[in-house]
């Protein structure tokens, strides 16, 4: 039997680090590199991660230079809101430098006197005493501190600056006026030629880090967006137990984020990196992807609102599996699902758009660990009602979620035929609520003579 050629992520990470340190002429013993690589792999292998994994960083180093490679491998090793803290094997490095507090993590005084840590702080434009959160660069700072301390005595001062600059640049979605890396490096005495090289490398890594926003295939963009949901919503870590309400809250957070994100803040263009026409094409593609993703999210939100209201009115919030049916298991046996009991929708001419319907019906490119790829309820409602009617319903759902209405009022304001059809389909899935859901369907239909 001939040996395989593919290598596991831990081997690929160690190999990439080995190649980088050799290319830089650092002469690091192999077991040191192995120790660093194993620690990086452990940090990126947290079960809570779906997007910020070892595969993500391995994708970033395909055409990277040695400094960029090391920075890419380390830039996500700390992700406190996903891992619910610092990876245990990096705690000893970070304990003297940052401390968890009620409202974030404080930079400790020792970080201002430790030469390596202070170098990182200077590149980030930070100082001891400041409190950071995940939204203000905490993960990137902590990851850069880990990388710099791990490579202390191995990387030169110049190499440490370049690596820290790369990781600083990966703080995402900042307005142009807050991108001050070039000025900070100049203040640290970095000459113009070297500074241009450092900034361009950093911009390249930062843009590659968010490269999925410019995907030509919207289904692939949604794939990556969906992977972020469980990373910011711990309730989704257990696919068979999260409730309808928890799923809706996760969708609402992501929809709120994407709908308020200007496409111009996703990619960077500085000192000729990238070429201006490349940057403009990326921004245009990002704007298209965000707009479509928001529409998709809102259709999902409306269908989830109908399901949540039915759950509230039939006995209260419960696991989404209770109403939708199972996602499947290792046996491969076909699960009983709510969509199997929905009537064929009657499409309303001119009310649906093919690309959006395709994403709802056929699904994203891949199923996630916590959700199906297709959206059967949203697809059914999109065909039966059209996007405009669904968005009118979503306005009323937001009133209910804000406490200005009720689940019952929301249900009674929706088209009776589709809402009752979902209630009846749910009755086939949820034995304990069958009579209540059938009764809800009958009441909804009577209100409109359905």
């Amino acid at each position: 039997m001939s040996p395989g050629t593919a290598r596991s992520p831990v081997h690929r990470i160690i190999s990439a680090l080995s190649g980088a340190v050799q290319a830089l002429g650092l002469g690091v013993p192999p077991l040191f590199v192995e120790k660093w690589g194993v620690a990086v792999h452990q940090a990126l292998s947290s079960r809570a991660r779906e997007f910020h994994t070892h595969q993500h960083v391995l994708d970033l180093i395909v055409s990277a230079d040695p400094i960029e490679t090391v920075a890419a491998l380390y830039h996500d090793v700390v992700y406190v809101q996903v891992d619910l803290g610092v990876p245990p094997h990096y705690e000893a490095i970070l304990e003297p430098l940052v401390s968890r507090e009620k409202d974030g993590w404080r930079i400790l005084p020792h970080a201002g006197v430790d030469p390596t840590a202070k170098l990182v702080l200077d590149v980030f434009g930070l100082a001891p005493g400041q409190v950071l959160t995940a939204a203000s660069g905490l993960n990137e700072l902590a990851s850069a501190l880990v990388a710099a301390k791990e490579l202390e005595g191995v990387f030169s001062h110049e190499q440490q600056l370049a690596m820290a600059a790369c990781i600083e640049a990966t703080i995402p979605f900042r307005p142009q006026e807050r991108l001050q890396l070039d000025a900070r490096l100049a203040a640290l005495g970095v000459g113009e030629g070297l500074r241009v090289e450092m900034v361009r490398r950093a911009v390249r890594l930062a843009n590659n880090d968010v490269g999925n926003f410019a995907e030509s295939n919207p289904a692939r963009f949604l794939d990556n967006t969906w992977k972020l949901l469980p990373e910011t919503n711990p309730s989704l870590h257990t696919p068979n137990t999260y409730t309808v309400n928890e799923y809706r809250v996760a969708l609402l957070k992501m929809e709120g984020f994407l709908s308020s994100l200007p496409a111009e803040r996703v990619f960077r263009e500085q000192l000729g990196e990238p070429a201006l026409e490349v940057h403009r094409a990326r921004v245009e593609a990002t704007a298209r992807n965000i707009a479509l993703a928001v529409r998709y999210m809102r259709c999902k939100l409306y269908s989830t609102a109908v399901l949540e209201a039915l759950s509230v009115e039939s006995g209260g919030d419960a696991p989404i599996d209770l109403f939708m049916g199972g996602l499947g298991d290792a046996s491969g046996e076909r699960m009983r699902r709510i969509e199997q009991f929905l009537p064929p929708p009657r499409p309303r001419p001119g009310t649906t758009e093919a690309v959006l319907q395709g994403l709802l019906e056929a699904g994203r490119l891949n199923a996630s660990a916590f959700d199906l790829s297709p959206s059967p309820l949203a697809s059914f409602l999109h065909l039966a009602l059209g996007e405009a009617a669904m968005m009118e319903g979503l306005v009323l759902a937001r009133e209910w979620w804000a406490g200005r209405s009720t689940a019952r009022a929301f249900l009674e304001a929706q088209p009776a035929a589709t809402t009752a059809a979902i209630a009846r389909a749910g009755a086939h899935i949820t034995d304990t609520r069958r009579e209540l859901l059938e009764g809800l369907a009958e009441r909804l239909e009577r209100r409109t003579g359905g």
Side-chain angles (χ1 to χ4, degrees), residues 250-372:
L251 290 179
L252 196 60
K253 286 165 62 177
M254 183 59 74
E255 182 267 343
F257 163 69
L258 286 175
S259 63
S260 62
L261 176 63
E264 295 77 14
R265 289 193 185 182
V266 176
F267 289 99
R268 298 173 60 165
E269 185 275 325
Q270 284 182 272
L271 303 181
E273 175 62 42
L276 193 56
E277 60 270 22
V278 172
H279 177 67
R280 286 172 176 164
R282 284 173 173 169
V283 173
E284 290 172 3
T286 297
R288 289 193 300 270
N289 279 331
I290 289 176
L292 183 58
V294 168
R295 292 170 62 206
Y296 174 87
M297 287 276 186
R298 288 174 177 169
C299 288
K300 295 270 290 184
L301 269 172
Y302 174 71
S303 65
T304 305
V306 172
L307 194 67
E308 184 180 13
L310 289 171
S311 72
V312 168
E313 289 300 297
S314 66
D317 191 28
I320 199 166
D321 274 17
L322 187 69
F323 296 93
M324 294 289 294
L327 293 176
D329 57 26
S331 70
E333 185 178 0
R334 189 180 183 214
M335 292 282 192
R336 176 181 284 224
R337 297 273 308 166
I338 193 171
E339 60 267 25
Q340 297 163 9
F341 300 96
L342 289 171
R346 298 177 180 175
R348 300 176 64 186
T351 63
T352 61
E353 190 262 320
V355 174
L356 180 58
Q357 178 58 29
L359 288 172
L360 294 171
E361 185 175 335
R364 306 175 301 278
L365 288 185
N366 299 290
S368 68
F370 70 97
D371 196 14
L372 287 176

Side-chain angles (χ1 to χ4, degrees), residues 36-326:
W36 299 335
V38 168
V40 167
H41 178 261
Q42 287 176 336
L44 299 173
S45 299
S46 164
R47 292 183 63 186
R49 296 189 183 213
E50 285 213 17
F51 180 79
H52 295 96
T53 63
H54 43 69
Q55 188 57 54
H56 171 59
V57 300
L58 288 168
D59 288 342
L60 294 180
I61 65 173
V62 172
S63 301
D65 71 21
I67 295 288
E68 189 179 347
T69 293
V70 177
L73 291 172
Y74 274 98
H75 85 287
D76 277 339
V77 292
V78 178
Y79 228 75
V80 294
Q81 75 273 32
V82 178
D83 302 330
L84 304 181
V86 172
H89 52 286
Y90 289 143
E91 285 179 348
I93 291 176
L94 292 173
E95 188 176 11
L97 307 176
V98 292
S99 176
R100 188 199 295 263
E101 297 193 355
K102 181 180 179 181
D103 298 322
W105 290 65
R106 185 176 296 278
I107 302 173
L108 297 176
H110 182 69
V113 296
D114 178 293
T116 300
K118 187 176 186 308
L119 176 149
V120 173
L121 292 184
D122 289 343
V123 172
F124 277 68
L126 298 169
Q130 288 182 263
V131 176
L132 299 179
T133 67
S136 59
L138 167 64
N139 295 318
E140 291 79 8
L141 174 67
S143 296
L145 288 170
V146 166
K149 294 298 290 183
E150 290 262 85
L151 295 163
E152 193 174 45
V154 176
F155 266 23
S156 68
H157 178 78
E158 175 187 303
Q159 290 165 341
Q160 288 277 32
L161 282 173
M163 180 174 64
C166 280
I167 299 177
E168 192 279 343
T170 65
I171 301 174
F173 313 132
R174 289 175 288 177
Q176 187 67 32
E177 61 270 17
R178 292 180 59 191
L179 303 178
Q180 301 170 351
L181 181 58
D182 184 42
R184 292 194 200 112
L185 291 173
L188 291 170
V190 180
E192 182 179 359
L194 183 57
R195 193 168 71 246
V196 169
E197 179 185 341
M198 287 183 180
V199 171
R200 294 190 66 180
R201 177 193 292 115
V203 169
R204 185 168 64 243
L205 176 59
N207 285 340
N208 288 338
D209 194 32
V210 294
N212 67 290
F213 275 85
E215 278 283 357
S216 58
N217 185 339
R220 192 177 301 279
F221 171 66
L222 281 172
D223 254 3
N224 288 316
T225 301
W226 227 248
K227 291 176 183 178
L228 296 173
L229 285 175
E231 292 195 351
T232 52
N233 296 274
S235 60
L236 302 185
H237 295 172
T238 50
N240 299 317
T241 63
Y242 65 81
T243 70
V244 183
N245 172 267
E246 289 169 335
Y247 184 65
R248 185 263 296 172
V249 169
L251 290 179
L252 196 60
K253 286 165 62 177
M254 183 59 74
E255 182 267 343
F257 163 69
L258 286 175
S259 63
S260 62
L261 176 63
E264 295 77 14
R265 289 193 185 182
V266 176
F267 289 99
R268 298 173 60 165
E269 185 275 325
Q270 284 182 272
L271 303 181
E273 175 62 42
L276 193 56
E277 60 270 22
V278 172
H279 177 67
R280 286 172 176 164
R282 284 173 173 169
V283 173
E284 290 172 3
T286 297
R288 289 193 300 270
N289 279 331
I290 289 176
L292 183 58
V294 168
R295 292 170 62 206
Y296 174 87
M297 287 276 186
R298 288 174 177 169
C299 288
K300 295 270 290 184
L301 269 172
Y302 174 71
S303 65
T304 305
V306 172
L307 194 67
E308 184 180 13
L310 289 171
S311 72
V312 168
E313 289 300 297
S314 66
D317 191 28
I320 199 166
D321 274 17
L322 187 69
F323 296 93
M324 294 289 294

